[in-house]
Amino acid sequence: MTTLERSACELLDRDDPLRKLRDEFILPSDTIYLDGNSLGARTKGAAERAQEVIEDEWGTGLIRSWNTAGWFDLPAKLGDKVAGVVGGGTGSTVVTDTTSINLFKAASAALKMQAADAPGRRVILTQRENFPSDIYMLQGLAEQLDDGYEVRLVDDAEVTAGFPNTMTDEVALVVLTHVNYRTGRLFDMATTTSAIHAGGAMVIWDLCHSAGALEIDLAGSGADMAIGCTYKFLNGGPGSPAFIWVSEALQNRFTQPLSGWWGHAKPFEMSPDYAPAEGIRRYLTGTQGVISMAVAELGLDIADSVNMAAVRHKSLQLSDLFIELVESRLADHPVQVVTPREHAHRGSQVSITHPEGFAVMSALIERGIIGDYREPEVLRFGLTPLYIGFTDVWDTVEALREILDNRLWDAPQHKVRGAVT
Amino acid sequence: MTTLERSACELLDRDDPLRKLRDEFILPSDTIYLDGNSLGARTKGAAERAQEVIEDEWGTGLIRSWNTAGWFDLPAKLGDKVAGVVGGGTGSTVVTDTTSINLFKAASAALKMQAADAPGRRVILTQRENFPSDIYMLQGLAEQLDDGYEVRLVDDAEVTAGFPNTMTDEVALVVLTHVNYRTGRLFDMATTTSAIHAGGAMVIWDLCHSAGALEIDLAGSGADMAIGCTYKFLNGGPGSPAFIWVSEALQNRFTQPLSGWWGHAKPFEMSPDYAPAEGIRRYLTGTQGVISMAVAELGLDIADSVNMAAVRHKSLQLSDLFIELVESRLADHPVQVVTPREHAHRGSQVSITHPEGFAVMSALIERGIIGDYREPEVLRFGLTPLYIGFTDVWDTVEALREILDNRLWDAPQHKVRGAVT
């Protein structure tokens, strides 16, 4: 692709089969929003849906709405929609709680199974650059179990190579982010899962930075469990509830310790003894925030309605263009692309470094182009194909060029840390 | 009080100093809502607040709203409002996650401290009639720790008597609901806490059925920890997030195992090692549902604006009236009041039994009088003094009388289990 003129990008937008999806979102007209990998865009009907839940379901239906408006079934109903996007299969997924808490459930259940089958395995591997909360949750679990469990951090290259140095017979569980949140590196789910299984360990995939942005085949890849959020590429709204998927073969093999009443086999019998529901519902714990959950459904419906192969195709076109423009138009500046060039190793973002990355991103945001910044030096640009166009990419790199050429980032207000998301 | 005529109730309503608070809620005009102990009423500005969050904060502010709209500080901000209602003290409470999950955090932390100070103590006591999810969570925790921990169920009378038969030197922790959800029995927080501490154990109070309905002095009672929901008497909305309170003396003594990034000392430094925040923020785990949380704030603001002594006074007037009317007007029927007569032992509900309780409640709901039913035979009537009046109580008992006198509950549609909340 040689698309170095803006007019060529306009043509690409005109012919983009996904272009009409932009109408499903409402974004400020003066903004190019490249942070959908952190918080997705506002869905068109969100305010109306919230109003309906509040006025009709809460206000008029009152307590009856747990049944009549289907509140109690929302985690499974939305879970099936997520499953459609990530290849999970019907009845395999629930939307509930937070990614961190769902990781605790999944990891606890996996370690329990390993303790029964392979009691010597007490090591949990995860990427050093996994999203920190995942690492913290595993550390909290290992400390609580207080029985020789240990969390070991591995570099991305070790994962890509199939764990040649770290997969020992001590390893019980591997927890992997599917896409590195900082660099945008994508890991191959099927081959990595196979390597982990060959080593005798189980795997939990964190799909926060991939669900809704690319094709995922959880069931087909042989994965054991997965977790993820709905507020990034799935556009569920701020802090919308997370999801958990467990492979069909494992669902009834064990329980998880956050055994609240929503995961009980008969939640309304009020028995004093816990008995887990059959299937994925045993991964539920307590009562969920209905308004946030109902609004999240709109984002899931959009993702469910599109062809993920088409989304992935456009995503790679966008990131190819972004990288090409950075390399051709910012060649005079100390800018490095840290996102992998190989499509097979690239998620749906482009990350670049600049020594004054924080100040540069501040200046960009001031112009209405919203990416974000991550230490050290990384400027992140999320590319959500549902609402980002080729011209947006061209305009972003052009704004970057102007800022860098004219040292516009050198103003004092751009040097103050803390305000950039 | 001898208030057996409706006209006397009308006078009580006219002179009720809390009457104007009814304007803060929107309820259907044809409904008497006596299920606020299960799901509180819709707050007046809820739909507008949700719209503001969705359109302005999410839609326009986008990712920046984590800082500019204060999303990141909502758990602590709302926590301080809850603390004002339950006597917790500023900086002692966060609103986050679910009651069940907050119990897991609190109980895990308490057991960790006891394991250090008194390692022989491995028993957790809780009421047999605690809300089942609390029992299930404790069972899940004990099973996970897999180190001799055991959950023992005790009768309410044993709690009221100060644990004469069950408080041994094996007991590490006592988890108590402040009000029995089925019978409405209230337990004395200060004297019960003293008895537990005298026995060498710690206590966690579940305030789901008391917060917002009566005066609570958590700090003054010497309690260790507390949890509760915001969607009952605090009117936070369906499934609105729960709260957790930890006494100031204990906050920094230990951590909890659900150690996600929101509880980290420096969440944006992205360190690969967990370090707990100082104070109550270490009880946070992951990203919260902002829309549900923002709407919950409206209910907390109402509770914070009223004098809880006045609320309690009216609550007891209402339940006294309810009991008096049941006993005088339903005397010909096999109805038993199971809620304690003594004010000191009564929460903010009246529960009665009838052999056909389920069918009777169905008939009542059909007339627009919404209470709920709990096995076996219990009809529950929650009394939220913020929006329930004396005439509402009179009309409810009168409707019950008509239904019972004329066996209106005997129609086939009322006999089918499953539809009553």
Side-chain angles (χ1 to χ4, degrees):
Chain A
M1 183 162 45
T2 327
T3 322
L4 299 186
E5 293 307 313
R6 192 176 194 277
S7 57
C9 296
E10 290 167 4
L11 288 178
L12 284 170
D13 280 337
R14 192 196 63 190
D15 297 335
D16 171 16
L18 300 181
R19 181 100 184 135
K20 65 181 186 305
L21 288 165
R22 193 165 183 149
D23 298 339
E24 301 298 317
F25 301 92
I26 299 177
L27 281 158
S29 57
D30 56 354
T31 299
I32 297 177
Y33 191 58
L34 300 170
D35 213 4
N37 54 332
S38 191
L39 171 65
R42 171 187 163 200
T43 47
K44 197 173 58 181
E48 292 75 11
R49 181 73 186 105
Q51 184 178 8
E52 183 182 35
V53 172
I54 290 168
E55 294 184 355
D56 301 343
E57 299 179 9
W58 179 18
T60 302
L62 290 158
I63 188 69
R64 295 166 290 204
S65 289
W66 281 108
N67 296 313
T68 56
W71 289 350
F72 198 75
D73 292 322
L74 282 173
K77 179 184 174 199
L78 270 62
D80 280 343
K81 296 184 178 192
V82 170
V85 178
V86 298
T90 303
S92 65
T93 312
V94 281
V95 169
T96 188
D97 296 324
T98 67
T99 307
S100 295
I101 283 169
N102 287 338
L103 174 57
F104 191 88
K105 299 172 189 170
S108 295
L111 291 181
K112 190 188 290 187
M113 187 172 85
Q114 289 285 44
D117 293 351
R121 293 179 176 263
R122 296 290 165 101
V123 169
I124 306 166
L125 299 182
T126 190
Q127 295 123 324
R128 190 182 311 282
E129 289 206 1
N130 193 348
F131 188 70
S133 201
D134 283 15
I135 303 175
Y136 304 157
M137 294 304 294
L138 296 172
Q139 290 169 342
L141 175 60
E143 187 184 334
Q144 186 190 39
L145 294 175
D146 187 27
D147 209 14
Y149 284 97
E150 182 190 340
V151 180
R152 290 188 192 157
L153 304 181
V154 302
D155 293 331
D156 285 1
E158 173 74 2
V159 179
T160 308
F163 306 93
N165 305 305
T166 51
M167 184 55 72
T168 68
D169 60 9
E170 298 172 296
V171 178
L173 175 64
V174 184
V175 177
L176 295 175
T177 182
H178 195 198
V179 172
N180 179 313
Y181 76 97
R182 209 173 55 81
T183 65
R185 174 177 290 280
L186 170 69
F187 298 89
D188 186 272
M189 186 176 283
T191 61
T192 310
T193 296
S194 293
I196 292 165
H197 286 173
M202 296 178 69
V203 64
I204 300 170
W205 287 96
D206 181 337
L207 308 182
C208 280
H209 292 85
S210 59
L214 47 90
E215 294 170 278
I216 301 174
D217 183 12
L218 274 174
S221 73
D224 298 306
M225 298 171 158
I227 54 170
C229 77
T230 64
Y231 54 74
K232 297 180 189 284
F233 292 107
L234 291 170
N235 304 297
S240 57
F243 64 85
I244 180 167
W245 170 87
V246 178
S247 77
E248 199 178 344
L250 298 178
Q251 278 171 25
N252 292 324
R253 284 194 59 188
F254 36 49
T255 58
Q256 51 88 13
L258 303 180
S259 48
W261 76 299
W262 273 37
H264 195 280
K266 296 180 176 174
F268 294 105
E269 287 206 350
M270 304 285 178
S271 155
D273 290 303
Y274 183 72
E278 288 295 298
I280 192 64
R281 279 180 184 259
R282 66 177 58 185
Y283 284 84
L284 297 174
T285 301
T287 310
Q288 294 297 300
V290 170
I291 309 173
S292 283
M293 179 103 57
V295 168
E297 188 173 7
L298 302 184
L300 301 181
D301 281 339
I302 297 169
D304 244 10
S305 74
V306 297
N307 181 322
M308 268 304 139
V311 170
R312 173 63 169 166
H313 178 72
K314 180 178 171 187
S315 166
L316 289 171
Q317 283 185 299
L318 289 169
S319 53
D320 278 343
L321 173 67
F322 201 116
I323 292 170
E324 181 185 0
L325 290 171
V326 165
E327 295 190 331
S328 58
R329 298 178 72 83
L330 310 182
D332 297 341
H333 298 285
V335 167
Q336 300 280 336
V337 175
V338 297
T339 300
R341 300 302 202 287
E342 309 87 331
H343 284 180
H345 295 159
R346 192 193 304 164
S348 196
Q349 74 188 59
V350 172
S351 298
I352 64 177
T353 59
H354 184 280
E356 297 289 339
F358 178 85
V360 171
M361 182 55 79
S362 301
L364 207 53
I365 289 173
E366 199 166 276
R367 291 174 163 227
I369 300 178
I370 304 179
D372 64 21
Y373 175 78
R374 290 291 182 268
E375 297 282 0
E377 299 189 0
V378 175
L379 298 93
R380 298 196 314 170
F381 300 93
L383 300 166
T384 302
L386 304 181
Y387 53 77
I388 295 297
F390 296 92
T391 317
D392 295 326
V393 170
W394 202 95
D395 291 344
T396 297
V397 179
E398 179 61 10
L400 262 174
R401 191 193 58 73
E402 281 182 27
I403 289 166
L404 294 175
D405 282 358
N406 300 296
R407 298 184 68 86
L408 298 180
W409 48 268
D410 216 5
Q413 74 269 23
H414 296 141
K415 298 291 192 179
V416 185
R417 281 284 198 292
V420 179
T421 53
Chain B
M1 183 161 45
T2 327
T3 321
L4 298 188
E5 294 307 314
R6 193 177 193 277
S7 57
C9 295
E10 290 167 3
L11 287 179
L12 283 170
D13 280 336
R14 191 195 64 187
D15 298 335
D16 171 15
L18 300 181
R19 182 101 183 134
K20 66 181 184 307
L21 288 164
R22 193 164 183 149
D23 297 338
E24 301 299 316
F25 301 92
I26 298 176
L27 281 158
S29 58
D30 57 353
T31 299
I32 297 177
Y33 190 58
L34 300 169
D35 212 4
N37 54 331
S38 191
L39 172 65
R42 170 186 165 200
T43 47
K44 196 174 57 180
E48 293 75 11
R49 181 73 186 106
Q51 184 177 8
E52 182 182 34
V53 171
I54 291 168
E55 295 184 354
D56 301 343
E57 300 180 7
W58 179 17
T60 302
L62 289 159
I63 187 70
R64 294 166 292 205
S65 289
W66 281 108
N67 295 312
T68 56
W71 290 349
F72 197 75
D73 292 322
L74 282 173
K77 180 185 175 197
L78 271 61
D80 280 343
K81 295 183 179 192
V82 170
V85 178
V86 299
T90 303
S92 64
T93 313
V94 281
V95 170
T96 189
D97 296 323
T98 67
T99 307
S100 295
I101 283 170
N102 289 337
L103 175 57
F104 190 87
K105 299 173 189 171
S108 296
L111 292 181
K112 191 187 291 187
M113 187 171 86
Q114 290 286 45
D117 293 352
R121 292 178 176 266
R122 296 290 165 101
V123 169
I124 306 167
L125 300 182
T126 191
Q127 294 124 324
R128 189 181 312 281
E129 289 207 0
N130 194 349
F131 188 70
S133 201
D134 283 15
I135 302 174
Y136 304 157
M137 294 304 293
L138 296 172
Q139 289 169 342
L141 175 60
E143 186 183 334
Q144 187 190 39
L145 293 175
D146 187 27
D147 208 13
Y149 284 97
E150 181 191 340
V151 179
R152 290 188 191 158
L153 304 181
V154 302
D155 293 331
D156 285 1
E158 172 74 3
V159 179
T160 307
F163 305 94
N165 306 306
T166 51
M167 183 56 70
T168 68
D169 60 9
E170 296 173 297
V171 178
L173 174 65
V174 184
V175 177
L176 295 175
T177 182
H178 195 199
V179 172
N180 180 312
Y181 76 97
R182 209 173 54 82
T183 64
R185 173 176 292 278
L186 170 69
F187 298 89
D188 186 273
M189 185 176 285
T191 60
T192 310
T193 296
S194 293
I196 292 165
H197 285 173
M202 295 177 70
V203 64
I204 299 169
W205 286 96
D206 181 338
L207 309 181
C208 280
H209 292 85
S210 59
L214 48 90
E215 294 169 278
I216 301 174
D217 183 11
L218 273 176
S221 73
D224 298 306
M225 297 170 158
I227 53 168
C229 76
T230 65
Y231 54 73
K232 297 180 191 283
F233 291 107
L234 291 170
N235 304 296
S240 58
F243 64 86
I244 179 167
W245 171 87
V246 178
S247 77
E248 200 179 342
L250 298 178
Q251 277 170 27
N252 291 324
R253 284 193 61 187
F254 37 50
T255 58
Q256 51 88 12
L258 303 180
S259 48
W261 75 299
W262 273 37
H264 196 280
K266 296 179 176 176
F268 294 105
E269 287 206 349
M270 304 286 177
S271 156
D273 290 303
Y274 183 72
E278 289 294 298
I280 191 65
R281 279 180 184 259
R282 67 178 57 186
Y283 284 84
L284 297 175
T285 302
T287 308
Q288 294 297 300
V290 170
I291 309 173
S292 283
M293 178 101 59
V295 168
E297 188 173 6
L298 302 183
L300 300 181
D301 281 339
I302 297 169
D304 244 11
S305 73
V306 297
N307 181 322
M308 267 305 139
V311 171
R312 174 62 170 166
H313 177 74
K314 181 177 170 187
S315 165
L316 289 171
Q317 283 185 299
L318 290 168
S319 52
D320 278 343
L321 173 66
F322 202 115
I323 291 170
E324 182 185 357
L325 290 172
V326 165
E327 295 190 329
S328 59
R329 297 179 72 83
L330 310 183
D332 296 342
H333 299 285
V335 166
Q336 298 282 336
V337 175
V338 296
T339 299
R341 300 303 202 287
E342 310 87 332
H343 285 179
H345 295 160
R346 191 194 304 162
S348 198
Q349 74 187 58
V350 171
S351 297
I352 65 178
T353 59
H354 184 280
E356 297 288 342
F358 178 86
V360 171
M361 182 54 79
S362 301
L364 206 53
I365 290 174
E366 200 166 276
R367 292 174 162 227
I369 299 177
I370 304 179
D372 64 22
Y373 174 78
R374 289 291 181 268
E375 298 283 357
E377 298 189 1
V378 175
L379 298 94
R380 299 197 311 170
F381 300 93
L383 299 166
T384 302
L386 304 181
Y387 53 77
I388 295 298
F390 297 91
T391 317
D392 294 327
V393 170
W394 203 94
D395 290 344
T396 297
V397 180
E398 179 61 11
L400 262 174
R401 190 192 60 72
E402 281 183 28
I403 290 167
L404 295 175
D405 282 358
N406 300 296
R407 297 184 67 88
L408 298 180
W409 48 267
D410 217 6
Q413 74 269 25
H414 295 141
K415 299 289 192 179
V416 184
R417 281 283 198 292
V420 179
T421 54

